[in-house]
Amino acid sequence: MREYSPDLTPQWKRPKAVPEVPADSDLVVEVAAGDFCGAVVGCEAGTVTLEDRFGKRRVFPMEPAGFLLDGAVVTLVRPARAPAAPARTASGSLAVPGARARVARAGRIYVEGRHDAELVERVWGDDLRVEGVVVEYLEGIDDLPAVVAEFAPAPDARLGVLVDHLVAGSKESRLAAAVTSPDVLVVGHPYVDVWQAVKPSALGIPAWPVVPRGQDWKTGVCRALGWPENTGAAWQHILSRVTSYRDLEPTLLGRVEELIDFVTAP
């Protein structure tokens, strides 16, 4: 019979047991290697999916002592019931279950045209209703100074404007400079039309065609892609392929988020 030999190692020298923590939904942890930090959005046998604050997701094996929780080493284990991915809106924001549309704010967001308004509604509609932000379209910005003057922006009624083809030296840039104030924010994207803010990959095309100067851009796009020269039908096809923020170019995403933050600021 083997003789019992007690462990005489001092308690303070013994390796500490690493606690096991269930990988519950929205638990924020850091990978022990230190190259990623995010919230748990999914858990399957042996792996956990984390999402960082920029919306980037990565899958990691749930190895012993593989994560840090509030700076302490932990082992993630599968919870009794695997967490479902939190519901999100098309913009990527966390959905608010049972949320009712808020009474409209005095502040507004103006966009150039109907297509711009429909695209913003497609991706940010749920968020805008929760925040009580109304989006209206201008049918062009030639009368923007008069529109802003009539709106009479104030600290409690801010105005945000999204402009197509806002590049240095353009007519749009001059109009934007004329109306910008502490209560008016004008931002824009570099595209000729908001159509181009939809990623070509969402439409199954390699790139947006280059339309020669002097041609109507939308008609030229339809012609180059072999679509019927019906720009209304073409837009409905494009819009139908947009299901979330992932289908839009980051240049537009950032500008719309900036406007929402501006008009909803306390």
Side-chain angles (χ1 to χ4, degrees):
M1 178 180 294
R2 179 178 296 179
E3 184 177 345
Y4 170 72
S5 178
D7 185 356
L8 300 179
T9 305
Q11 186 70 30
W12 61 272
K13 283 190 175 183
R14 296 179 187 178
K16 294 182 180 179
V18 176
E20 293 185 345
V21 176
D24 291 322
S25 183
D26 293 334
L27 178 74
V28 177
V29 294
E30 182 180 355
V31 179
D35 61 346
F36 198 84
C37 179
V40 174
V41 294
C43 182
E44 297 181 1
T47 65
V48 62
T49 302
L50 304 181
E51 180 178 290
D52 69 11
R53 63 192 183 94
F54 301 107
K56 182 178 179 181
R57 295 188 178 191
R58 288 178 59 184
V59 179
F60 298 93
M62 292 195 294
E63 298 176 341
F67 300 88
L68 301 178
L69 176 61
D70 295 330
V73 177
V74 298
T75 297
L76 288 186
V77 295
R78 193 174 187 181
R81 184 176 180 181
R88 292 183 179 268
T89 66
S91 72
S93 301
L94 287 175
V96 182
R100 301 177 62 183
R102 178 175 173 171
V103 175
R105 293 174 181 266
R108 290 287 188 275
I109 292 178
Y110 286 165
V111 297
E112 278 205 48
R114 182 170 59 85
H115 293 180
D116 306 70
E118 289 176 345
L119 188 61
V120 169
E121 165 62 27
R122 184 87 170 186
V123 176
W124 289 274
D126 290 338
D127 305 320
L128 293 168
R129 280 182 283 279
V130 169
E131 294 291 348
V133 178
V134 174
V135 175
E136 301 179 11
Y137 65 91
L138 301 169
E139 296 184 335
I141 63 164
D142 289 345
D143 296 327
L144 184 59
V147 170
V148 172
E150 182 179 357
F151 183 84
D156 59 347
R158 288 181 161 188
L159 179 60
V161 184
L162 178 68
V163 177
D164 295 343
H165 199 234
L166 187 60
V167 295
S170 65
K171 172 192 71 175
E172 290 82 1
S173 67
R174 292 191 292 273
L175 287 170
V179 301
T180 297
S181 75
D183 301 317
V184 179
L185 175 66
V186 181
V187 299
H189 55 73
Y191 309 117
V192 174
D193 190 272
V194 76
W195 287 20
Q196 284 183 299
V198 178
K199 290 181 178 178
S201 58
L203 300 170
I205 61 176
W208 284 100
V210 176
V211 178
R213 282 180 172 272
Q215 290 188 25
D216 177 73
W217 187 83
K218 292 177 181 176
T219 303
V221 166
C222 293
R223 189 175 299 138
L225 294 176
W227 296 349
E229 294 181 19
N230 181 330
T231 57
W235 169 244
Q236 290 307 313
H237 168 68
I238 294 167
L239 187 62
S240 72
R241 304 301 295 270
V242 176
T243 59
S244 77
Y245 71 96
R246 296 182 179 87
D247 298 318
L248 301 183
E249 297 289 356
T251 306
L252 178 67
L253 294 174
R255 301 295 75 74
V256 175
E257 296 285 353
E258 188 176 355
L259 290 176
I260 294 173
D261 289 345
F262 180 76
V263 300
T264 58

